[in-house]
Amino acid sequence: MTHILAPGEVERHLRARRDTGRGLLMPYITGGITPGWTRYLKAFAAAGADAIEVGLPFSDPTLDGVTIQQASNAALARGASTRRILADLAEVRDLGVPLVASTYYNLVLHDGPEAFCAALRRAGVGGLIVPDLPVHEADELTDVAAAGIELALLASPSTPQPRLAEISRRSRGFVYAVSVMGTTGERADLAASAAELTARIKRGTDRPVLLGFGISTPDQAREAGRYADGVVVGAAVMRRVLDGAGPDDLLAFLATLRRALDQE
């Protein structure tokens, strides 16, 4: 059975690794995307991931680009559900890195925040990302999550400084810096706004800052590592999975990002 993390363990884990000078790597996988999909988790950990984001697919996403939408649709067509994905996770032996779930607030509200967070903990998940939950509406979930699930909040280039300070203060685990105003997806270049956003966040918190949305190549990961404490890589991973790449293929790809971050 999966090791159940102690409260606060996601942030402690990321801080400890960051404080050694290591650039943090958090790849993403859509839960239920293929038969035996949890084998990807083991490959991610073997490639040097510091945390793994597991998407709980939702039929009406707002921030997901084409690739993640396709992955979610494929998982749902296979019969994936929050209950089944968490049951799969509960059978995964300790990976050595924390799991962070991500989904939309509709799924949280379906069972209620308390029951939802309790189910995450039973499955060995320690963190949660809810991209459509603004900080000023997060009280109910943050209160419940404080009992064991670390809710990481999102900050974008357009977030005004007072709200950015509140996001940094109330976020747990890490702060998720969104590099662009837009949806997830691979991009040719790292957005120019990424450096300024991460600098603004870091002025107000020592919590780890992970940069996501559009990081697709080793060069982009290396550049992002100059500003942020680490990177989130989603669409670039899921495009390969949708194209038929297996766990060993993803291990090889993520290992190139790991090397790039280690060189920074």
Side-chain angles (χ1 to χ4, degrees), residues 85-108:
I85 291 168
L86 295 184
D88 288 343
L89 290 178
E91 296 303 317
V92 176
R93 297 197 175 276
D94 186 21
L95 297 167
V97 299
L99 297 175
V100 178
S102 61
T103 196
Y104 290 90
Y105 202 38
N106 298 62
L107 292 187
V108 179

Side-chain angles (χ1 to χ4, degrees), residues 36 59 64 85 94 107 115 143 145 155-156 172 220 222 238 255 261:
S59 59
D64 293 332
I85 291 168
D94 186 21
L107 292 187
D143 289 347
S156 76
R172 294 294 180 269
Q220 290 169 354
R222 186 180 298 109
M238 294 315 303
L261 287 166

Side-chain angles (χ1 to χ4, degrees), residues 67 186 216 235-246 249-250 253:
T67 301
E186 296 176 272
S216 314
V237 170
M238 294 315 303
R239 176 174 58 80
R240 287 168 169 81
V241 174
L242 289 170
D243 288 344
D249 301 309
L250 268 299
F253 168 62

Side-chain angles (χ1 to χ4, degrees), residues 80-156:
S81 65
T82 297
R83 179 182 59 79
R84 289 175 179 173
I85 291 168
L86 295 184
D88 288 343
L89 290 178
E91 296 303 317
V92 176
R93 297 197 175 276
D94 186 21
L95 297 167
V97 299
L99 297 175
V100 178
S102 61
T103 196
Y104 290 90
Y105 202 38
N106 298 62
L107 292 187
V108 179
L109 291 174
H110 183 269
D111 294 323
E114 187 169 359
F116 184 84
C117 289
L120 292 183
R121 279 190 52 74
R122 287 194 299 272
V125 176
L128 176 62
I129 302 166
V130 184
D132 62 338
L133 180 65
V135 65
H136 62 275
E137 296 179 9
D139 286 351
E140 181 179 14
L141 184 54
T142 52
D143 289 347
V144 168
I149 296 296
E150 293 166 78
L151 179 65
L153 300 175
L154 280 70
S156 76

Side-chain angles (χ1 to χ4, degrees), residues 13-236:
H13 177 89
L14 294 178
R15 278 181 180 270
R17 292 197 170 193
R18 178 200 64 184
D19 291 348
T20 67
R22 178 184 176 96
L24 303 174
L25 174 62
M26 185 167 77
Y28 166 97
I29 183 80
T30 298
I33 183 63
T34 63
W37 68 275
T38 55
R39 291 182 298 124
Y40 286 101
L41 304 178
K42 297 175 183 178
F44 292 1
D50 299 288
I52 300 171
E53 180 183 355
V54 178
L56 306 177
F58 177 59
S59 59
D60 190 22
T62 55
L63 284 182
D64 293 332
V66 173
T67 301
I68 303 297
Q69 286 185 36
Q70 289 174 345
S72 293
N73 290 339
L76 292 170
R78 289 193 64 253
S81 65
T82 297
R83 179 182 59 79
R84 289 175 179 173
I85 291 168
L86 295 184
D88 288 343
L89 290 178
E91 296 303 317
V92 176
R93 297 197 175 276
D94 186 21
L95 297 167
V97 299
L99 297 175
V100 178
S102 61
T103 196
Y104 290 90
Y105 202 38
N106 298 62
L107 292 187
V108 179
L109 291 174
H110 183 269
D111 294 323
E114 187 169 359
F116 184 84
C117 289
L120 292 183
R121 279 190 52 74
R122 287 194 299 272
V125 176
L128 176 62
I129 302 166
V130 184
D132 62 338
L133 180 65
V135 65
H136 62 275
E137 296 179 9
D139 286 351
E140 181 179 14
L141 184 54
T142 52
D143 289 347
V144 168
I149 296 296
E150 293 166 78
L151 179 65
L153 300 175
L154 280 70
S156 76
S158 67
T159 304
Q161 197 62 38
R163 178 165 293 188
L164 194 65
E166 184 179 6
I167 289 170
S168 299
R169 178 178 59 82
R170 298 184 64 181
S171 193
R172 294 294 180 269
F174 57 93
V175 180
Y176 193 140
V178 176
S179 66
V180 294
M181 295 301 297
T183 58
T184 62
E186 296 176 272
R187 290 177 172 82
D189 300 293
L190 187 66
S193 55
E196 180 185 4
L197 173 60
T198 52
R200 290 172 58 213
I201 296 171
K202 282 176 164 291
R203 282 198 295 269
T205 185
D206 185 49
R207 188 161 281 121
V209 178
L210 301 185
L211 185 66
F213 283 47
I215 296 170
S216 314
T217 68
D219 285 346
Q220 290 169 354
R222 186 180 298 109
E223 182 181 356
R226 297 179 187 136
Y227 317 128
D229 296 309
V231 298
V232 184
V233 184

